[in-house]
């Protein structure tokens, strides 16, 4: 088993600063109309392979069992930053990884979803990331098989925001109506820092969202992240180390 400390400069028991919300990517392959509560059980072998092939992961070091997919990981120590969740539930794949967190200097979610789209061109890919860096920073994305996409990254309530794609085109492609947007209090024409983008992109998954329920379960892995992602997490979560 490789040396998990290869790229870290801080010890594994160093306290993590800041906090984590969700950091997940979901790949929904046809058929799109599924209920996560009725998905097949997690295929641990496929989940491990998906984790191993994820762009932020250098190597899967250890399997730590399983846990409900809706139990968000909250890193407390540096060693916790190398624990991820991955699931393979029939036509749905998912990964939750602290390496996707960022403070606005980069857009790791956009980058990794772009790589996954090359591997899964027929899939609907949705990602949501929230990290507390004193204030919350969010990054959200939807990428559809027909090419329609939307990406938002920034600090809620504050400028500037990085926006790409067209949320109206995504809503139209998914059949998201004005009433559905009104029901979740989302105005796509409002200033971007005033929009709850995570709520909007969640509509792209609907009942297929595996991260909203105690079932299905996901596999838990300890991994070695790539050097680039390890350095980024160290700067973000262990500043001044």
């Amino acid at each position: 088993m490789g040396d998990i400390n290869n790229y870290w400069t801080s010890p594994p028991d160093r306290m993590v600063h800041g906090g984590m919300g969700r950091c997940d990517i979901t790949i929904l392959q046809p058929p799109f109309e599924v209920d996560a509560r009725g998905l097949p059980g997690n295929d641990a072998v496929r989940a491990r392979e998906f984790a191993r092939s994820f762009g932020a992961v250098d190597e899967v070091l250890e399997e730590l069992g399983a846990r409900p997919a809706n139990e968000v990981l909250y890193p407390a120590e540096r060693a916790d930053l190398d624990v991820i969740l991955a699931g393979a539930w029939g036509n749905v794949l998912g990964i939750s990884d602290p390496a996707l967190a960022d403070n606005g200097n980069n857009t790791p979610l956009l980058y990794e979803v772009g790589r996954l789209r090359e591997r899964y061109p027929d899939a609907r890919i949705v990602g949501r990331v929230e990290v507390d860096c004193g204030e919350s920073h969010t990054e959200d994305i939807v990428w559809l098989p027909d090419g329609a996409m939307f990406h938002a990254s920034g600090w809620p309530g504050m400028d500037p925001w990085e926006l790409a794609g067209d949320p109206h085109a995504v809503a139209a492609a998914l059949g998201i109506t004005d009433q559905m947007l009104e029901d979740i209090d989302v105005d796509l024409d409002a200033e971007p820092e005033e929009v709850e983008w995570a709520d909007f992109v969640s509509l792209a998954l609907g009942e297929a969202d595996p991260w909203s329920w105690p079932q299905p379960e996901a596999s838990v892995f300890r991994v070695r992240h790539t050097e680039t992602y390890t350095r980024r997490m160290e700067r973000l979560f262990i500043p001044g180390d």
Side-chain angles (χ1 to χ4, degrees):
M1 186 172 75
D3 179 5
I4 196 169
N5 297 307
N6 273 355
Y7 304 131
W8 291 103
T9 63
S10 52
D13 61 351
R14 181 61 56 85
M15 286 187 60
V16 168
H17 297 274
M20 293 280 298
R22 61 190 318 150
C23 281
D24 56 67
I25 296 174
T26 305
I27 300 171
L28 177 58
Q29 300 171 94
F32 299 125
E33 301 302 323
V34 298
D35 188 327
R37 292 164 291 183
L39 287 172
N42 179 39
D43 184 331
V45 174
R46 285 181 61 214
R48 185 184 184 97
E49 176 58 27
F50 181 52
R52 187 199 63 77
S53 67
F54 188 57
V57 172
D58 198 31
E59 183 182 355
V60 174
L61 300 173
E62 184 181 7
E63 187 167 352
L64 303 176
R67 64 188 294 170
N70 70 337
E71 290 187 4
V72 178
L73 297 171
Y74 294 105
E77 299 180 338
R78 193 231 74 194
D80 298 333
L81 295 171
D82 282 322
V83 177
I84 71 171
L85 300 180
W89 310 285
N91 63 315
V92 180
L93 295 169
I95 194 159
S96 178
D97 188 342
L100 293 169
D102 194 68
N103 60 1
N105 291 324
N106 298 278
T107 52
L109 182 64
L110 174 62
Y111 182 71
E112 292 304 331
V113 168
R115 295 175 68 173
L116 288 167
R117 173 161 169 77
E118 294 179 0
R119 293 170 54 194
Y120 303 97
D122 297 328
R124 182 184 303 174
I125 306 177
V126 176
R128 298 159 295 192
V129 174
E130 181 179 4
V131 59
D132 183 357
C133 306
E135 299 285 347
S136 290
H137 182 272
T138 64
E139 188 180 359
D140 299 283
I141 189 169
V142 179
W143 210 323
L144 304 181
D146 66 1
M149 66 87 69
F150 171 72
H151 170 257
S153 177
W155 303 84
M158 294 183 283
D159 280 329
W161 271 75
E162 178 168 330
L163 299 174
D166 184 349
H168 291 281
V170 169
L174 293 173
I176 296 173
T177 65
D178 291 341
Q179 184 60 56
M180 294 167 68
L181 293 172
E182 185 176 334
D183 288 344
I184 62 171
D185 197 25
V186 165
D187 180 359
L188 298 181
D189 295 316
E191 293 300 320
E193 67 271 16
E194 302 300 330
V195 179
E196 292 289 342
W197 294 114
D199 292 343
F200 170 63
V201 302
S202 292
L203 291 178
L205 290 175
E207 292 184 344
D209 186 355
W211 308 105
S212 297
W213 312 98
Q215 292 293 335
E217 289 192 328
S219 296
V220 185
F221 299 105
R222 185 173 300 280
V223 305
R224 180 171 61 238
H225 286 99
T226 66
E227 182 173 8
T228 297
Y229 277 98
T230 302
R231 296 285 183 242
R232 185 179 296 153
M233 284 192 291
E234 197 153 38
R235 290 192 298 269
L236 181 63
F237 291 107
I238 313 174
D241 192 66

